[in-house]
Amino acid sequence: MSKLKNLEELFHHQLKDLYSAEKQLLEALPKMAKKAQDPKLKAAFEAHLTETEEQKARIEQICEKLGISPGRMKCKAMEGLIEEGEDMIHEDADPDVKDAGLIAEAQRIEHYEISGYGTAAHYAERLGMTDIAKILRTTLDEEQNADTKLNKLAKGYINQQAM
């Protein structure tokens, strides 16, 4: 990889990383939804799958506006987070405990995405790309809402059921 020379190049790198993360998540979410026992948790994973498809499309739209390719870069952080999620999917656990574990793994993923989209939106603002920053903030809001939904399920009753 060539040397990153300025914030704009770093911003492009961040977009490619987020694109890879979303692509990987599109493969992982259906598996998590399938293993979730709780109907509300299953629905939350399925709803976020639809959002993730839209988020991937938004990054493609941004890259097109910028004249860059989202590329074939592999987000190693998301790869590791998904690997941990896969471990939970295959864990021999009581269904309620598995649901609590799936939420924990999904929230780790959401927190990674929240960080990534927050950073990318800030870079876009700093670079004077307010329209792109707005698009990224839409995704950031969705990621924060997904995390909040998972948190409510966990604290509301799923963690209690797992005790």
Side-chain angles (χ1 to χ4, degrees), residues 12-152:
H12 293 176
H13 184 274
Q14 292 293 314
L15 290 171
K16 292 174 183 184
D17 189 69
L18 287 167
Y19 184 73
S20 170
E22 297 295 9
K23 280 179 27 182
Q24 291 178 60
L25 193 52
L26 284 171
E27 292 178 24
L29 276 170
K31 297 174 191 173
M32 294 176 88
K34 186 178 177 182
K35 283 296 181 176
Q37 174 201 296
D38 183 80
K40 288 181 183 175
L41 179 57
K42 189 178 287 286
F45 285 145
E46 289 167 352
H48 197 54
L49 177 62
T50 302
E51 280 183 340
T52 301
E53 289 166 353
E54 293 167 8
Q55 293 164 353
K56 179 179 162 274
R58 279 189 209 119
I59 295 174
E60 290 167 349
Q61 173 192 0
I62 290 168
C63 287
E64 192 174 311
K65 275 185 174 191
L66 295 173
I68 62 171
S69 166
R72 293 193 174 98
M73 189 172 132
K74 181 107 179 191
C75 175
K76 293 180 182 88
M78 183 60 79
E79 184 177 34
L81 290 167
I82 287 173
E83 192 175 306
E84 289 196 15
E86 295 267 350
D87 289 347
M88 181 52 63
I89 286 169
H90 300 296
E91 189 71 46
D92 182 19
D94 176 86
D96 292 328
V97 174
K98 184 167 287 205
D99 280 353
L102 288 171
I103 289 173
E105 299 304 333
Q107 285 192 288
R108 284 185 181 92
I109 290 168
E110 292 309 318
H111 291 191
Y112 177 76
E113 290 184 302
I114 289 166
S115 171
Y117 281 104
T119 298
H122 175 75
Y123 288 172
E125 285 173 5
R126 181 60 73 178
L127 292 164
M129 302 174 187
T130 53
D131 56 333
I132 291 173
K134 186 177 179 183
I135 294 168
L136 291 167
R137 289 218 179 281
T138 297
T139 300
L140 177 61
D141 290 344
E142 290 172 353
E143 298 297 4
Q144 290 170 329
N145 289 337
D147 182 56
T148 298
K149 283 181 197 172
L150 291 170
N151 214 30
K152 284 181 180 175

